[in-house]
Amino acid sequence: MKTDNQFISLKPDDLKGSESIGGKAKNLAVLTEMGLNVPPWIVVPQEVLLSQLPSDVDEENIKELLEQTTPSSNLANEVLEHFGPDSRSKKFAVRSSASDEDGKDFSFAGQFDTFLGVAFKDIPEKVKELWKSVASAHVIAYRKKNNL
């Protein structure tokens, strides 16, 4: 798996056994490798968020801890590098591809926030909002209900 700063540049062969990303990203990689017309995309792997959280994170402190997280100050530079200098005028989708989101036994479909039409300057804020949705009431209830 090729890692450039925060982002993973994905190829299907690199993803075998990867726990860093979820099914959406893995499927985008497969479609890209097949040569289908897939818009350019990148993934912020789960380690970027996990590296900011203490090992003793739990349901009691997760919301406060997520509020304190911040995407790297280098995020904008990395987006520019990947998508090109005209990225500043483009709109983006910021959505989840969590490693436990859409498994064979459970689906978190619609549970995490999705942001469409995001301006370049707002990407870090929306990444943080997406991370915070991990601790939303309905996600916590779903995890409890399914013993996750």
Side-chain angles (χ1 to χ4, degrees):
M1 187 175 320
K2 180 181 179 235
T3 304
D4 294 315
N5 298 322
Q6 284 193 32
F7 300 115
I8 295 179
S9 191
L10 303 169
K11 293 185 179 177
D13 288 344
D14 296 336
L15 299 175
K16 292 178 182 153
S18 172
E19 298 299 322
S20 292
I21 60 168
K24 286 186 202 101
K26 288 178 182 178
N27 288 331
L28 283 172
V30 170
L31 295 172
T32 301
E33 189 74 8
M34 291 172 61
L36 297 174
N37 187 16
V38 178
W41 57 282
I42 54 176
V43 175
V44 178
Q46 69 180 6
E47 289 83 8
V48 173
L49 173 58
L50 293 176
S51 70
Q52 295 187 52
L53 299 175
S55 59
D56 64 344
V57 64
D58 60 27
E59 184 182 328
E60 301 301 316
N61 64 9
I62 184 73
K63 288 182 183 181
E64 179 183 335
L65 292 169
L66 288 169
E67 189 63 46
Q68 297 169 16
T69 62
T70 54
S72 166
S73 59
N74 197 34
L75 180 62
N77 291 334
E78 294 180 44
V79 170
L80 281 172
E81 183 178 317
H82 185 79
F83 291 103
D86 62 340
S87 299
R88 284 178 166 66
S89 62
K90 292 181 180 178
K91 299 289 183 182
F92 296 86
V94 177
R95 51 187 318 214
S96 65
S97 184
S99 58
D100 67 349
E101 184 174 356
D102 295 317
K104 61 183 177 181
D105 297 320
F106 301 98
S107 173
F108 283 80
Q111 297 289 320
F112 302 113
D113 289 344
T114 293
F115 304 97
L116 305 175
V118 176
F120 170 79
K121 68 177 181 56
D122 297 329
I123 292 173
E125 172 194 336
K126 295 305 180 189
V127 167
K128 180 174 180 165
E129 291 298 313
L130 178 92
W131 287 350
K132 287 170 44 180
S133 72
V134 168
S136 65
H138 55 275
V139 170
I140 290 173
Y142 185 81
R143 286 185 182 281
K144 278 184 180 179
K145 177 182 174 189
N146 292 292
N147 297 315
L148 300 172

